[in-house]
Amino acid sequence: GDSVTQMEGPVTLSEEAFLTINCTYTATGYPSLFWYVQYPGEGLQLLLKATKADDKGSNKGFEATYRKETTSFHLEKGSVQVSDSAVYFCALIFSGAGSYQLTFGKGTKLSVIP
Amino acid sequence: GAVVSQHPSWVICKSGTSVKIECRSLDFQATTMFWYRQFPKQSLMLMATSNEGSKATYEQGVEKDKFLINHASLTLSTLTVTSAHPEDSSFYICSARGARVGYTFGSGTRLTVV
Protein backbone atom coordinates (compact mmCIF):
# COMPACT_ATOMS: atom_id res chain seq x y z
CA GLY A 1 0.00 0.00 0.00
CA ASP A 2 0.89 3.67 -0.06
CA SER A 3 3.43 4.79 2.52
CA VAL A 4 5.48 7.78 3.53
CA THR A 5 8.91 7.70 5.12
CA GLN A 6 10.39 10.79 6.64
CA MET A 7 13.59 11.36 8.52
CA GLU A 8 13.52 10.63 12.19
CA GLY A 9 13.95 13.42 14.61
CA PRO A 10 14.30 15.23 16.72
CA VAL A 11 16.15 17.86 14.74
CA THR A 12 17.75 20.72 16.65
CA LEU A 13 19.04 23.75 14.78
CA SER A 14 20.30 27.18 15.65
CA GLU A 15 18.34 30.18 14.48
CA GLU A 16 19.05 31.12 10.84
CA ALA A 17 20.36 27.64 10.02
CA PHE A 18 19.32 25.79 6.86
CA LEU A 19 16.66 23.13 7.27
CA THR A 20 16.06 19.97 5.30
CA ILE A 21 13.59 17.30 6.33
CA ASN A 22 13.65 14.35 4.00
CA CYS A 23 10.49 12.63 2.84
CA THR A 24 10.12 9.77 0.39
CA TYR A 25 7.03 7.90 -0.62
CA THR A 26 5.82 4.73 -2.22
CA ALA A 27 2.55 4.79 -4.08
CA THR A 28 0.97 3.22 -7.10
CA GLY A 29 0.14 6.02 -9.46
CA TYR A 30 0.58 9.73 -8.96
CA PRO A 31 -0.20 10.96 -5.46
CA SER A 32 -0.66 14.49 -4.26
CA LEU A 33 1.93 15.38 -1.63
CA PHE A 34 1.64 17.54 1.45
CA TRP A 35 3.56 18.92 4.38
CA TYR A 36 1.63 19.60 7.56
CA VAL A 37 2.89 21.41 10.64
CA GLN A 38 1.79 20.86 14.23
CA TYR A 39 2.67 23.49 16.79
CA PRO A 40 2.79 22.42 20.45
CA GLY A 41 -0.63 21.49 21.81
CA GLU A 42 -2.41 22.15 18.52
CA GLY A 43 -3.87 20.26 15.59
CA LEU A 44 -2.35 20.03 12.14
CA GLN A 45 -2.13 22.89 9.65
CA LEU A 46 -1.42 22.53 5.98
CA LEU A 47 1.97 24.07 5.24
CA LEU A 48 2.29 23.41 1.53
CA LYS A 49 1.34 20.95 -1.16
CA ALA A 50 2.15 19.77 -4.67
CA THR A 51 -0.15 17.82 -6.91
CA LYS A 52 2.04 16.75 -9.82
CA ALA A 53 5.62 16.02 -10.72
CA ASP A 54 8.03 18.98 -10.65
CA ASP A 55 5.50 21.16 -8.81
CA LYS A 56 7.03 23.25 -6.05
CA GLY A 57 4.95 24.04 -3.01
CA SER A 58 5.95 27.02 -0.91
CA ASN A 59 4.70 28.87 2.13
CA LYS A 60 6.23 30.92 4.96
CA GLY A 61 9.71 30.46 3.52
CA PHE A 62 9.36 26.67 3.32
CA GLU A 63 9.64 24.89 0.00
CA ALA A 64 9.28 21.34 -1.27
CA THR A 65 9.53 20.01 -4.82
CA TYR A 66 7.65 16.95 -6.04
CA ARG A 67 10.37 14.70 -7.49
CA LYS A 68 8.82 11.78 -9.29
CA GLU A 69 12.14 10.26 -10.34
CA THR A 70 13.31 9.96 -6.75
CA THR A 71 9.81 9.68 -5.21
CA SER A 72 10.70 12.45 -2.81
CA PHE A 73 9.22 15.63 -1.39
CA HIS A 74 11.91 17.06 0.88
CA LEU A 75 11.05 20.10 2.97
CA GLU A 76 13.55 22.98 3.02
CA LYS A 77 13.89 26.40 4.54
CA GLY A 78 16.86 28.67 4.11
CA SER A 79 16.83 30.33 7.52
CA VAL A 80 14.79 28.89 10.37
CA GLN A 81 13.38 30.89 13.25
CA VAL A 82 12.52 29.92 16.81
CA SER A 83 8.86 30.17 15.84
CA ASP A 84 9.36 27.30 13.36
CA SER A 85 9.77 24.87 16.25
CA ALA A 86 7.06 22.29 15.66
CA VAL A 87 6.42 18.79 14.39
CA TYR A 88 6.35 18.42 10.61
CA PHE A 89 4.43 15.67 8.83
CA CYS A 90 4.83 14.58 5.25
CA ALA A 91 1.67 13.09 3.77
CA LEU A 92 0.16 11.87 0.53
CA ILE A 93 -3.19 11.19 -1.07
CA PHE A 94 -3.30 8.83 -3.97
CA SER A 95 -5.46 10.66 -6.44
CA GLY A 96 -7.48 8.82 -9.01
CA ALA A 97 -8.66 5.80 -7.12
CA GLY A 98 -11.50 7.51 -5.28
CA SER A 99 -9.60 7.25 -2.03
CA TYR A 100 -9.63 10.30 0.22
CA GLN A 101 -7.43 9.00 2.97
CA LEU A 102 -4.29 10.89 3.91
CA THR A 103 -1.28 8.71 4.60
CA PHE A 104 1.14 10.35 7.04
CA GLY A 105 4.77 9.91 7.81
CA LYS A 106 5.69 9.57 11.46
CA GLY A 107 6.55 13.22 11.89
CA THR A 108 9.79 15.05 12.55
CA LYS A 109 10.15 17.27 15.57
CA LEU A 110 12.11 20.43 14.92
CA SER A 111 13.51 22.55 17.71
CA VAL A 112 15.14 25.87 16.85
CA ILE A 113 17.29 27.45 19.51
CA PRO A 114 18.22 31.15 19.65
CA GLY B 1 -10.84 29.70 4.69
CA ALA B 2 -12.24 26.41 5.85
CA VAL B 3 -12.41 26.06 9.62
CA VAL B 4 -12.95 23.01 11.75
CA SER B 5 -13.81 23.48 15.39
CA GLN B 6 -13.02 20.67 17.81
CA HIS B 7 -14.23 20.61 21.41
CA PRO B 8 -13.24 20.24 24.10
CA SER B 9 -9.57 21.08 23.70
CA TRP B 10 -8.78 19.09 26.81
CA VAL B 11 -10.71 16.86 29.17
CA ILE B 12 -9.93 14.88 32.30
CA CYS B 13 -12.27 12.07 33.23
CA LYS B 14 -12.46 9.24 35.69
CA SER B 15 -11.81 5.70 34.61
CA GLY B 16 -15.03 3.98 33.53
CA THR B 17 -16.83 7.10 32.36
CA SER B 18 -17.55 8.15 28.78
CA VAL B 19 -16.30 11.23 27.00
CA LYS B 20 -17.69 12.86 23.87
CA ILE B 21 -15.57 14.93 21.51
CA GLU B 22 -17.20 17.13 18.88
CA CYS B 23 -15.87 18.12 15.50
CA ARG B 24 -17.70 20.81 13.54
CA SER B 25 -17.04 22.27 10.11
CA LEU B 26 -17.95 25.91 10.52
CA ASP B 27 -18.13 27.23 6.98
CA PHE B 28 -18.39 24.23 4.70
CA GLN B 29 -20.20 20.94 4.44
CA ALA B 30 -18.01 18.05 5.39
CA THR B 31 -18.93 15.04 3.35
CA THR B 32 -16.23 13.00 5.02
CA MET B 33 -14.70 13.27 8.47
CA PHE B 34 -11.71 11.46 9.85
CA TRP B 35 -10.65 10.75 13.41
CA TYR B 36 -7.01 10.32 14.35
CA ARG B 37 -5.24 9.37 17.51
CA GLN B 38 -1.79 10.72 18.15
CA PHE B 39 0.57 8.59 20.17
CA PRO B 40 3.73 9.61 21.99
CA LYS B 41 6.56 10.49 19.62
CA GLN B 42 3.91 12.14 17.48
CA SER B 43 2.82 9.34 15.15
CA LEU B 44 -0.72 9.72 13.89
CA MET B 45 -3.05 6.78 13.61
CA LEU B 46 -6.20 6.95 11.56
CA MET B 47 -8.99 5.49 13.68
CA ALA B 48 -11.99 5.77 11.41
CA THR B 49 -13.54 7.47 8.42
CA SER B 50 -17.15 8.62 8.51
CA ASN B 51 -19.47 9.82 5.81
CA GLU B 52 -22.57 11.80 6.67
CA GLY B 53 -25.54 9.59 7.32
CA SER B 54 -23.72 6.29 7.20
CA LYS B 55 -21.79 4.11 9.60
CA ALA B 56 -18.16 4.88 10.18
CA THR B 57 -15.47 2.68 8.68
CA TYR B 58 -12.99 1.70 11.36
CA GLU B 59 -9.35 0.88 10.78
CA GLN B 60 -8.08 -2.52 11.74
CA GLY B 61 -7.45 -2.83 15.44
CA VAL B 62 -9.77 0.00 16.47
CA GLU B 63 -12.63 -1.14 18.71
CA LYS B 64 -15.84 0.23 17.24
CA ASP B 65 -17.77 -0.42 20.44
CA LYS B 66 -15.28 1.58 22.43
CA PHE B 67 -14.84 4.47 20.05
CA LEU B 68 -18.31 5.40 18.87
CA ILE B 69 -18.40 7.73 15.91
CA ASN B 70 -21.50 9.54 14.77
CA HIS B 71 -21.71 11.76 11.69
CA ALA B 72 -25.30 12.87 11.90
CA SER B 73 -25.05 15.99 9.77
CA LEU B 74 -22.81 17.53 7.15
CA THR B 75 -21.24 19.78 9.74
CA LEU B 76 -20.92 17.63 12.84
CA SER B 77 -19.18 14.42 13.79
CA THR B 78 -18.70 13.13 17.31
CA LEU B 79 -16.32 10.62 18.83
CA THR B 80 -17.40 9.05 22.11
CA VAL B 81 -14.83 7.16 24.12
CA THR B 82 -16.90 4.72 26.15
CA SER B 83 -15.82 3.31 29.50
CA ALA B 84 -12.54 5.16 29.23
CA HIS B 85 -9.40 3.74 30.81
CA PRO B 86 -5.99 5.28 31.38
CA GLU B 87 -4.62 3.61 28.24
CA ASP B 88 -7.14 5.66 26.23
CA SER B 89 -5.36 8.83 27.31
CA SER B 90 -4.12 10.45 24.15
CA PHE B 91 -4.43 13.38 21.77
CA TYR B 92 -7.38 12.96 19.40
CA ILE B 93 -7.61 14.98 16.19
CA CYS B 94 -10.46 15.24 13.70
CA SER B 95 -10.25 16.23 10.07
CA ALA B 96 -12.99 17.22 7.66
CA ARG B 97 -13.12 17.18 3.91
CA GLY B 98 -15.68 18.95 1.71
CA ALA B 99 -16.48 19.02 -1.97
CA ARG B 100 -14.24 21.98 -2.78
CA VAL B 101 -12.27 22.00 0.42
CA GLY B 102 -9.18 19.99 1.12
CA TYR B 103 -8.44 18.41 4.42
CA THR B 104 -8.91 20.73 7.35
CA PHE B 105 -7.92 19.65 10.83
CA GLY B 106 -9.39 20.47 14.18
CA SER B 107 -7.17 21.75 16.96
CA GLY B 108 -7.21 18.44 18.80
CA THR B 109 -8.45 17.17 22.15
CA ARG B 110 -6.14 16.07 24.94
CA LEU B 111 -7.88 13.29 26.86
CA THR B 112 -6.54 12.25 30.24
CA VAL B 113 -8.20 9.37 32.04
CA VAL B 114 -7.42 9.10 35.74
Side-chain angles (χ1 to χ4, degrees), chain B residues 20-103:
Chain B
K20 180 183 285 188
I21 303 170
E22 289 191 351
C23 181
R24 291 180 184 274
S25 57
L26 298 185
D27 49 4
F28 68 99
Q29 293 184 329
T31 50
T32 308
M33 285 190 172
F34 306 85
W35 287 94
Y36 295 85
R37 181 174 177 176
Q38 188 166 31
F39 290 95
K41 296 190 178 180
Q42 73 258 350
S43 73
L44 282 164
M45 181 193 81
L46 177 66
M47 300 174 66
T49 302
S50 72
N51 294 297
E52 183 266 339
S54 60
K55 289 184 179 180
T57 302
Y58 289 81
E59 296 299 305
Q60 191 172 7
V62 178
E63 299 176 60
K64 60 180 68 175
D65 293 331
K66 180 164 191 63
F67 297 101
L68 300 178
I69 291 172
N70 184 283
H71 192 165
S73 76
L74 283 170
T75 59
L76 174 65
S77 177
T78 59
L79 166 67
T80 301
V81 183
T82 62
S83 187
H85 291 285
E87 57 266 30
D88 300 324
S89 298
S90 194
F91 194 60
Y92 294 87
I93 305 175
C94 71
S95 174
R97 184 181 184 281
R100 286 181 292 277
V101 175
Y103 288 82

Side-chain angles (χ1 to χ4, degrees), chain A residues 29-61:
Chain A
Y30 304 97
S32 295
L33 302 172
F34 305 82
W35 277 101
Y36 283 86
V37 58
Q38 183 181 32
Y39 298 102
E42 298 183 12
L44 275 67
Q45 301 174 28
L46 178 63
L47 181 60
L48 53 84
K49 67 178 182 181
T51 57
K52 61 182 188 295
D54 300 325
D55 267 2
K56 177 186 283 187
S58 61
N59 185 24
K60 299 181 181 180

Side-chain angles (χ1 to χ4, degrees), chain A residues 25-100:
Chain A
Y25 67 90
T26 58
T28 52
Y30 304 97
S32 295
L33 302 172
F34 305 82
W35 277 101
Y36 283 86
V37 58
Q38 183 181 32
Y39 298 102
E42 298 183 12
L44 275 67
Q45 301 174 28
L46 178 63
L47 181 60
L48 53 84
K49 67 178 182 181
T51 57
K52 61 182 188 295
D54 300 325
D55 267 2
K56 177 186 283 187
S58 61
N59 185 24
K60 299 181 181 180
F62 291 89
E63 292 183 342
T65 301
Y66 189 143
R67 301 285 188 198
K68 182 171 174 291
E69 63 277 11
T70 54
T71 62
S72 65
F73 193 53
H74 304 322
L75 182 69
E76 297 182 335
K77 186 173 185 181
S79 176
V80 293
Q81 305 300 313
V82 172
S83 57
D84 295 326
S85 297
V87 180
Y88 293 83
F89 291 91
C90 186
L92 68 80
I93 295 175
F94 172 47
S95 54
S99 169
Y100 301 119

